[in-house]
Amino acid sequence: MLVDGVYYPIFCAKSGELVLEQDEIEVTYINSGSFRDFIPGLNGGTFTATGITSLDNSESKISITYLMQQAIRRVIWPLRTLLTDDDGGTLQITYNAFVTNTTLSKQTGSYSQSSVVFRITGAIEFSSVITPPVAPICQVQDTLNLTLAEDATTIVSATLIDPNTVILAVFREGTEYYQVPSSPGNRQYSIDITTGTITFQSPGNPGGEGVEVVWQITA
Amino acid sequence: MKPGIVYTLSWDLAPTAASDGGPDRIDAKLMVVSIYDYGHMIDDDANAEVIVLTPAAAALDVSVINNDENKFAQIRAKQAKIRFISDQGQGQDINIFSDAYDNQFYVVITCNAVTMFLGYLMLPDGQMPFQPDPNVVELTASDHLPLLKDISLVDDSGDNILGKYRIAELIALCLKKTGLSLPINVINNLRHGGGILIDEVDFADAPDGDDFIVLSTTFNNFYAGQSIVISGTVSNNGTFTVTAVTELVGKTVIFVAEALTTESNVTATFSDASSLLHLYDGVYLDAKTFEAEIGASENAYSVLEKIFGDDCAIFQYKAEWWIIRIDEYDGNPLYKAKFDADGVLIDDPAEIDLNYSIGFDQNVLFAAADQILRFDRPHKFVKETFRYENPLEIVCNVDFDRGDVITPPDLAAASSEGTYNVDCWTLHRYSGGSPTSTMYIRRVFEFGYEKQRYLVVTPASSSSETTWAESQPIPVQVKDRANINVEYSAQTDFGSGEGNVEYDIVFLFIIDTAGEYWYWSNIDAGGGTLSEYQWVGPFPAETNRPVSESWILGDVDETDPRTLFVEMSAFPVTGNLYIGLPQFNQTGSGFDDNVIIQYNISFQYSPFVNGSYEKYTGHTNSVSTALAGYAAKRENEVFIGDAPKPITKGAMFVANGLGGYTVTARFYPSAKYAITGQPDADQIQPYGWHQAYAVWNQYRMAVRIFTGSLQGLGDDWPDLLHRIILTDNNPNTTGRYFLLISFQQDWRTGSWRGTFIECFNEDNPRSYTDPEEFKYLTGG
């Protein structure tokens, strides 16, 4: 909470909860079929904090007693929620809010607990724009299930034609084969990415053989 | 000078999200409400104090209420409820708007800098909880159309209206009483006359002087009194006046007043001069159509209701007045003309696109899943009734009770007299020159109560000065009748006098539409005496032809009232009737040189309608279905229509080019023909025909009514003027146009409720085949 130009934590807090809500406006119309249609309406939100009760702000933390005062309760305050991840990255979410609920409680044998609910007014702002996700590279693709025809030593899959294709594993009837650059021997295979062709030494058994290819795109 | 204090509140109107995941259909718009305090004026170059108020959550609701869901409700007032948060410590509460006069606080509301509402705060509708701060203060602003019920129609000088006014002038006079001087947009393209007609015709120079034109077949475009412009011929181009129209062996024959040159098989173009003008610019109404009592008119709201009849509606949109004719919201293009705040035409009709789509894939869409579809059932018939009412005074100031005071009476005295000027009457001296007579009203009081009142005409300085007090013209038509009772007496006894003297008691004369004079007289055109009084004329100029009566002097007391009753036979021509009450210095002898004569008159008028005198009290135009099984009916009274006589209240007129007016004949819907095109003959009909079918086409089939919630408001919001297309595909919406007839809009969230009523179905367009009946009314 920003007081006199400095952000102070609220309470010696044990929990904090920032909730943003979006109104829903139903726009179901005559041709909506059996599903309702909605569009987003206005936004709103709350911030809730709970923690140990302190008598005043002397520990550089906002006290419940400070927030209970009428002159403080009836004012709109700038608040900031600071997120820090394990890599040290941070994100600030700032907004204005005012106190709608303060609670003091105590159970025998434990410290007194404080709780406050702020009603957010106006827009919330992020310290940096959260961009949409990008499809990850080096993502393992779905396993290809191919068939090595009887007496054939090669199988072709156009799916594999990509300069960034990397074969991770090849299984022939459940037995793993290993990649070699060329002239595959026993339990070996080679691959020509430009044509999507996998080559084996031994031909397929009568009735054909199932071949599983585990692969990924590296870029 | 300008208002010195402005109260403002502003907020962002919520955007409307798309229903398909795309970008917002309507972006957030800045809303600003400004309230100007005209109770604190400053110089134009001074800076006004701006006081910023905090808008409440529901900062602005704008609504139009039409509880009857009446498509033909004439006046659709808009109301804005403005809400802000009080701060009594800053003096921002309802008290700043109390103790104010009616138009003190002027409200301007904009959306994205587009003016969407102009009006004034209505103090009785403001409110605030009687609680500690903060509270929601609610103010109500109105476009003041409802307030017109409290304001009598007067002209810009504050005087009662008198005479003929263009319809646009009357509308403007009414609307200015709201305190808002706004331009007036009109979508009403009925035009007077026959429009334009191209036909192969024969022109005939008749030996008897009644030249005529024979058309190829029967046409409805022509009527007596019409001014037509003919072009495309070799010898007959020009402007002509139609004197008569008849039909001969299936062809229309037009007789004209001007000379024609014989010419055969000519493709000629006929243009009705009156069709060149917009309805509101070329058609006139007499002020007495709206009289409430002698000398005072009805309230402006009632005047507008009567003008718009069962046809048009008026409302405010984007800081301008709009008048729309419901019947024109069909499959044809819409055409809009524009008048300024004084009723002067500034833009001729031009095509305007007022289509507005509402639906799931549009900027504005139904919301809350609460839409209700209802039907208005088909009707058996509609009937419009037009009653024939004469003005309270056919002769203006016939009772001599109006005029500014000259000498006030002493009402405290046992007996006193007052003298007054005479409204509506003028002194006229035969053959020109200034009258040396005077006239005034004398009122005699006893103990403050009026006992006598009469017109006084003083003698002229010479008996050769034929002078009379002349009434205002009384429009009459051929075959009408009237009688007049003239009561007269001398102010003093004549004295000895001489024998039996013939005195001029009253002048009764008609000036016809050609400007010629006709007199009720017993002297014929050649000066010979007739056996009885009759209409004599025409005379090219004013002639001395009075109604006289013998007065045996010497043995009578000339102060005793005498009565002359004149029952005039049927008027020989159409024109204006005048009454003249002469001064009494009429002989060369001196005994009447100082005679002051006193008059009281009464006048009875009997119009000739459909072959009868005083039998008909009105007429109806009705359209009905021949199909069985329908029972619903709609009957309304209209007050503007096809009056049988020019004196009838509600008669419409066009200028006749000679400084006078002619009662209207026929109209046609020019919007169907792109304004300037040739109308179909079956569409050239009397005004009542158009009004009846306009209503019938809205009630002859089941009409869809949609009511429900919607989402989407911005600087181009749907309003009462739009031709609404509901795009949610369904047999009840496809191929139909709707009118929005009521709504309540929340200009904070962009949500609103509205009622849409069908006005056109392309599968069942306007039809004129169901029988229409014109019928006279008799009795009460």
Side-chain angles (χ1 to χ4, degrees):
Chain A
M1 182 168 158
L2 183 68
V3 179
D4 294 336
V6 178
Y7 279 102
Y8 294 94
I10 296 174
F11 306 153
C12 182
K14 297 192 301 183
S15 70
E17 183 179 68
L18 175 64
V19 176
L20 297 181
E21 297 149 332
Q22 179 83 55
D23 289 352
E24 55 185 40
I25 301 172
E26 181 166 10
V27 292
T28 304
Y29 71 114
I30 190 68
N31 296 325
S32 291
S34 56
F35 289 90
R36 293 187 180 276
D37 285 291
F38 295 87
I39 59 173
L42 293 174
N43 310 293
T46 58
F47 174 75
T48 305
T50 61
I52 304 294
T53 301
S54 59
L55 291 179
D56 54 31
N57 297 336
S58 58
E59 295 181 3
S60 296
K61 292 183 174 59
I62 300 295
S63 160
I64 187 78
T65 54
Y66 178 72
L67 296 175
M68 281 181 166
Q69 296 175 108
Q70 176 156 340
I72 305 302
R73 253 186 308 112
R74 290 181 62 81
V75 173
I76 295 173
W77 295 95
L79 265 61
R80 180 183 72 185
T81 299
L82 179 64
L83 306 173
T84 306
D85 66 13
D86 287 342
D87 295 329
T90 62
L91 176 71
Q92 293 181 53
I93 306 172
T94 54
Y95 43 89
N96 293 325
F98 60 93
V99 175
T100 57
N101 183 287
T102 51
T103 306
L104 267 178
S105 64
K106 185 180 187 323
Q107 289 184 336
T108 304
S110 61
Y111 286 111
S112 168
Q113 305 296 311
S114 299
S115 166
V116 64
V117 178
F118 286 88
R119 163 63 66 185
I120 296 173
T121 174
I124 64 168
E125 308 220 346
F126 293 84
S127 54
S128 54
V129 175
I130 312 302
T131 56
V134 177
I137 59 174
C138 303
Q139 185 177 0
V140 176
Q141 305 295 311
D142 289 338
T143 300
L144 282 177
N145 290 296
L146 305 173
T147 300
L148 179 64
E150 180 179 336
D151 295 331
T153 58
T154 60
I155 52 177
V156 177
S157 171
T159 305
L160 298 174
I161 301 176
D162 187 306
N164 298 312
T165 296
V166 173
I167 305 298
L168 299 176
V170 171
F171 297 87
R172 188 169 154 178
E173 291 294 325
T175 301
E176 187 170 4
Y177 277 58
Y178 299 94
Q179 187 177 24
V180 293
S182 63
S183 303
N186 186 35
R187 290 179 67 184
Q188 292 179 336
Y189 73 93
S190 65
I191 182 164
D192 181 354
I193 290 301
T194 62
T195 60
T197 303
I198 298 175
T199 303
F200 298 97
Q201 181 194 45
S202 56
N205 290 331
E209 293 179 49
V211 175
E212 292 175 350
V213 180
V214 180
W215 63 289
Q216 71 179 25
I217 301 290
T218 58
Chain B
M1 301 293 285
K2 66 180 185 182
I5 303 177
V6 182
Y7 302 90
T8 72
L9 48 160
S10 60
W11 66 93
D12 279 334
L13 170 63
T16 297
S19 55
D20 59 359
D24 286 342
R25 294 268 168 79
I26 304 175
D27 297 333
K29 306 289 182 192
L30 178 64
M31 299 292 301
V32 178
V33 174
S34 304
I35 305 173
Y36 296 84
D37 185 354
Y38 275 79
H40 295 85
M41 302 298 284
I42 58 175
D43 292 333
D44 286 338
D45 55 0
N47 291 324
E49 180 186 1
V50 179
I51 298 175
V52 179
L53 303 174
T54 304
L60 176 66
D61 284 337
V62 176
S63 60
V64 171
I65 298 170
N66 186 341
N67 288 328
D68 296 332
E69 295 180 343
N70 180 7
K71 234 181 304 192
F72 292 102
Q74 297 98 343
I75 300 178
R76 305 190 184 175
K78 274 191 186 169
Q79 173 178 280
K81 288 205 180 287
I82 304 160
R83 301 181 187 91
F84 67 91
I85 304 298
S86 68
D87 184 347
Q88 296 182 46
Q90 297 290 322
Q92 294 177 6
D93 60 14
I94 199 167
N95 289 302
I96 56 180
F97 302 106
S98 65
D99 293 324
Y101 55 87
D102 277 352
N103 287 358
Q104 179 170 340
F105 292 102
Y106 177 61
V107 176
V108 178
I109 303 177
T110 63
C111 174
N112 198 31
V114 173
T115 304
M116 54 166 288
F117 179 89
L118 295 175
Y120 293 90
L121 287 187
M122 305 274 290
L123 269 306
D125 294 333
Q127 61 180 24
M128 181 183 96
F130 192 48
Q131 293 293 311
D133 262 356
N135 291 296
V136 175
V137 179
E138 181 177 284
L139 305 173
T140 300
S142 162
D143 58 14
H144 269 197
L145 284 175
L147 254 63
L148 296 181
K149 293 180 186 175
D150 299 328
I151 303 174
S152 295
L153 180 58
V154 294
D155 62 20
D156 289 338
S157 304
D159 298 323
N160 185 40
I161 54 172
L162 204 59
K164 303 278 190 299
Y165 289 79
R166 292 178 303 115
I167 294 179
E169 282 177 300
L170 285 168
I171 294 172
L173 277 176
C174 291
L175 293 177
K176 281 191 280 189
K177 304 292 180 286
T178 62
L180 302 170
S181 284
L182 306 177
I184 306 167
N185 299 281
V186 180
I187 300 178
N188 180 349
N189 293 289
L190 275 181
R191 290 241 163 174
H192 180 259
I196 190 168
L197 173 69
I198 300 173
D199 191 38
E200 188 171 311
V201 303
D202 297 321
F203 293 87
D205 178 4
D208 60 358
D210 290 331
D211 294 357
F212 59 91
I213 308 164
V214 181
L215 283 82
S216 65
T217 182
T218 55
F219 289 99
N220 220 9
N221 304 55
F222 304 97
Y223 50 91
Q226 183 183 22
S227 174
I228 51 174
V229 176
I230 300 177
S231 60
T233 73
V234 174
S235 309
N236 291 293
N237 291 343
T239 301
F240 298 83
T241 304
V242 176
T243 57
V245 182
T246 189
E247 209 173 285
L248 193 63
V249 291
K251 299 184 180 185
T252 294
V253 180
I254 312 165
F255 293 84
V256 298
E258 296 79 6
L260 294 171
T261 301
T262 297
E263 205 175 336
S264 299
N265 300 322
V266 179
T267 300
T269 300
F270 299 83
S271 300
D272 187 328
S274 69
S275 303
L276 296 175
L277 296 173
H278 188 278
L279 178 76
Y280 288 177
D281 197 34
V283 174
Y284 294 73
L285 297 170
D286 194 286
K288 288 194 175 177
T289 295
F290 309 108
E291 69 175 356
E293 55 187 51
I294 296 175
S297 297
E298 297 173 13
N299 64 73
Y301 191 99
S302 173
V303 171
L304 288 175
E305 283 186 312
K306 289 185 174 182
I307 290 175
F308 297 140
D310 236 3
D311 215 20
C312 299
I314 186 168
F315 46 85
Q316 188 193 117
Y317 174 74
K318 287 191 178 178
E320 297 187 349
W321 299 115
W322 283 77
I323 298 168
I324 64 170
R325 182 163 174 261
I326 311 304
D327 190 54
E328 292 190 22
Y329 277 65
D330 58 8
N332 293 307
L334 294 170
Y335 293 87
K336 181 208 79 170
K338 191 166 189 170
F339 295 80
D340 69 10
D342 293 314
V344 176
L345 181 68
I346 52 179
D347 287 334
D348 286 323
E351 191 172 340
I352 182 171
D353 180 5
L354 290 177
N355 287 356
Y356 199 107
S357 295
I358 291 177
F360 188 71
D361 56 348
Q362 304 295 326
N363 291 353
V364 179
L365 66 169
F366 284 123
D370 64 357
Q371 291 73 47
I372 300 294
L373 165 63
R374 291 175 291 120
F375 295 86
D376 195 4
R377 70 200 232 242
H379 280 42
K380 179 167 181 59
F381 71 85
V382 299
K383 182 188 288 185
E384 308 286 311
T385 301
F386 178 70
R387 300 199 185 278
Y388 301 155
E389 289 183 13
N390 289 332
L392 295 169
E393 270 187 344
I394 293 176
V395 181
C396 185
N397 203 12
V398 67
D399 293 331
F400 303 120
D401 59 358
R402 297 198 300 283
D404 294 332
V405 65
I406 302 171
T407 307
D410 180 1
L411 297 178
S415 176
S416 69
E417 290 182 359
T419 59
Y420 306 82
N421 288 318
V422 192
D423 282 356
C424 301
W425 293 76
T426 54
L427 267 179
H428 177 84
R429 178 173 166 177
Y430 174 64
S431 292
S434 297
T436 55
S437 290
T438 62
M439 68 172 182
Y440 53 87
I441 297 169
R442 175 183 288 132
R443 299 170 72 185
V444 179
F445 296 85
E446 288 182 9
F447 298 104
Y449 290 92
E450 182 183 282
K451 288 298 181 185
Q452 283 184 307
R453 175 174 9 103
Y454 36 74
L455 174 73
V456 171
V457 183
T458 63
S461 57
S462 164
S463 60
S464 62
E465 295 176 24
T466 303
T467 305
W468 59 76
E470 186 171 286
S471 71
Q472 288 197 335
I474 305 155
V476 296
Q477 289 191 329
V478 62
K479 293 190 181 176
D480 292 344
R481 290 198 308 227
N483 61 60
I484 184 169
N485 192 66
V486 182
E487 183 186 280
Y488 62 99
S489 62
Q491 188 170 305
T492 54
D493 196 328
F494 279 25
S496 58
E498 296 179 13
N500 187 359
V501 180
E502 193 84 2
Y503 273 98
D504 303 337
I505 306 301
V506 63
F507 287 80
L508 298 165
F509 60 97
I510 299 172
I511 303 176
D512 66 20
T513 54
E516 293 179 317
Y517 288 72
W518 298 73
Y519 290 85
W520 182 254
S521 175
N522 63 350
I523 307 295
D524 67 17
T529 303
L530 299 166
S531 60
E532 59 183 13
Y533 277 86
Q534 58 189 260
W535 286 106
V536 178
F539 296 94
E542 183 180 49
T543 304
N544 193 349
R545 291 282 192 276
V547 178
S548 305
E549 191 171 67
S550 294
W551 204 346
I552 302 174
L553 308 173
D555 61 347
V556 298
D557 182 352
E558 286 81 13
T559 64
D560 289 336
R562 294 167 62 88
T563 300
L564 171 65
F565 178 75
V566 179
E567 183 162 8
M568 292 168 267
S569 61
F571 299 137
V573 290
T574 294
N576 288 319
L577 173 71
Y578 293 82
I579 301 168
L581 301 172
Q583 60 87 26
F584 256 57
N585 180 5
Q586 299 184 16
T587 72
S589 302
F591 63 87
D592 60 4
D593 287 0
N594 298 306
V595 169
I596 298 172
I597 197 73
Q598 303 166 161
Y599 287 103
N600 271 309
I601 62 170
S602 64
F603 181 83
Q604 299 291 327
Y605 169 67
S606 300
F608 184 74
V609 178
N610 197 34
S612 170
Y613 292 100
E614 292 186 277
K615 181 179 175 184
Y616 299 109
T617 58
H619 70 249
T620 60
N621 291 91
S622 62
V623 187
S624 59
T625 178
L627 300 175
Y630 297 96
K633 58 186 180 183
R634 179 188 166 96
E635 297 184 60
N636 259 354
E637 187 172 354
V638 294
F639 300 90
I640 309 293
D642 306 302
K645 296 294 167 187
I647 207 167
T648 308
K649 284 181 165 183
M652 296 186 289
F653 302 88
V654 289
N656 65 6
L658 298 172
Y661 303 91
T662 308
V663 175
T664 55
R666 300 191 194 99
F667 297 80
Y668 66 96
S670 68
K672 284 186 165 60
Y673 311 102
I675 305 297
T676 55
Q678 178 171 333
D680 296 320
D682 63 349
Q683 289 289 306
I684 305 172
Q685 298 286 354
Y687 187 81
W689 183 96
H690 288 287
Q691 188 154 243
Y693 269 111
V695 176
W696 176 244
N697 272 308
Q698 299 297 327
Y699 286 93
R700 63 183 177 83
M701 53 196 170
V703 164
R704 275 79 177 147
I705 305 172
F706 288 88
T707 303
S709 300
L710 299 100
Q711 183 67 31
L713 288 172
D715 53 5
D716 183 26
W717 71 95
D719 208 289
L720 306 178
L721 81 168
H722 287 113
R723 195 161 56 178
I724 304 287
I725 300 165
L726 299 178
T727 62
D728 294 337
N729 195 21
N730 182 267
N732 292 298
T733 59
T734 306
R736 300 174 199 269
Y737 288 133
F738 295 82
L739 282 170
L740 179 60
I741 60 167
S742 67
F743 58 76
Q744 185 165 356
Q745 302 164 332
D746 180 343
W747 283 84
R748 174 64 186 93
T749 63
S751 64
W752 54 289
R753 285 190 63 82
T755 297
F756 302 87
I757 191 163
E758 180 183 343
C759 61
F760 176 75
N761 178 4
E762 68 179 19
D763 289 335
N764 199 344
R766 302 284 188 256
S767 170
Y768 304 91
T769 56
D770 291 315
E772 186 263 349
E773 184 188 29
F774 175 94
K775 189 176 172 184
Y776 283 105
L777 295 175
T778 58

